[in-house]
Amino acid sequence: MDPFGHPDLVRLGRSLRNRLDDTLDAEQAAARAAARRRQTLRDRLLDSEDRTEQIVLSTADGHLYRGVVDAVGVDHVVVIDGDAERYIAIAHIVSMEGR
């Protein structure tokens, strides 16, 4: 008789594996939440640039800028809408929406 094929050990192994999987899922969720909390606006703009997603930026002076992020500098972002290329200071951005 195989000592590792004992029904009690099989059940115990399955239980431990399920518990480990649950712990792993909880740790990954916590890591994702921590990463989101540390993400700056510049980080989010860099992600948008990588994804070439459409964004809408609202600035402190009330203007809305729509387009695709072409480049992100240390203190500014370049947004292209059609033929228009706009340089916007990150410090002036009030909100951002990505699609």
Side-chain angles (χ1 to χ4, degrees), residues 9-93:
L9 291 178
V10 171
R11 215 175 8 250
L12 177 64
R14 189 177 308 117
S15 173
L16 289 174
R17 186 173 36 253
N18 288 341
R19 198 177 282 177
L20 181 63
D21 289 344
D22 291 344
T23 302
L24 178 63
D25 291 342
E27 289 292 330
Q28 287 176 337
R32 282 191 298 273
R36 277 193 312 271
R37 289 181 186 130
R38 286 190 310 268
Q39 191 175 40
T40 65
L41 177 59
R42 184 175 182 277
D43 294 333
R44 182 65 182 94
L45 288 165
L46 287 167
D47 289 343
S48 295
E49 179 187 15
D50 292 342
R51 292 188 202 124
T52 62
E53 67 183 0
Q54 289 286 324
I55 63 162
V56 178
L57 297 176
S58 173
T59 56
D61 60 1
H63 286 93
L64 287 177
Y65 300 95
R66 300 172 195 275
V68 176
V69 177
D70 186 51
V72 179
V74 173
D75 62 349
H76 70 282
V77 60
V78 180
V79 177
I80 295 183
D81 182 19
D83 292 334
E85 183 177 76
R86 309 232 186 255
Y87 289 73
I88 305 160
I90 292 176
H92 293 159
I93 298 173

Side-chain angles (χ1 to χ4, degrees), residues 1-10:
M1 179 174 176
D2 181 14
F4 297 112
H6 191 278
D8 290 339
L9 291 178
V10 171

